[in-house]
Amino acid sequence: MPDVAIDGVFGPATEASVKAFQKNNNLNVTGVVGEETWNLLYNAVKGIVEALEIDFNVSVAGFKKFPGVDLSVG
C-alpha cells in the first residue's frame, strides 16, 4: 500500500491507498471505505497488533468496527 501521512484528511493519497488495499484484497475498487473494506482493514490491524503481542484493546482503543458511515474523499 502507498504510504499516507496521518493528517485527519481523507484526500487523494488516502483514496489511492484504499484503492490499492481493495485491489490486493479482491474487493470492488472504489476508493471508498465501506463496511467490507473497513472490516478487512480492522481485522488486518488487529492481526498485526496481536502478532506483536500487544493488547489490541489498549493500544488501538479508538479503532472500532464499522461505524455505519462510508469514508471517502472529503
Side-chain angles (χ1 to χ4, degrees):
M1 298 319 109
D3 289 342
V4 179
I6 299 172
D7 59 6
V9 176
F10 194 119
T14 304
E15 180 182 31
S17 189
V18 169
K19 285 181 175 181
F21 179 82
Q22 289 170 327
K23 182 177 179 182
N24 286 342
N25 287 279
N26 299 313
L27 300 173
N28 289 332
V29 179
T30 63
V32 174
V33 181
E35 186 171 6
E36 188 173 24
T37 300
W38 183 282
N39 289 334
L40 279 173
L41 284 166
Y42 177 90
N43 289 327
V45 170
K46 186 174 182 184
I48 291 167
V49 171
E50 289 175 347
L52 295 171
E53 298 182 357
I54 299 169
D55 184 349
F56 179 78
N57 294 317
V58 172
S59 57
V60 197
F63 193 65
K64 308 249 186 252
K65 295 248 179 178
F66 184 65
V69 177
D70 293 349
L71 303 178
S72 61
V73 173

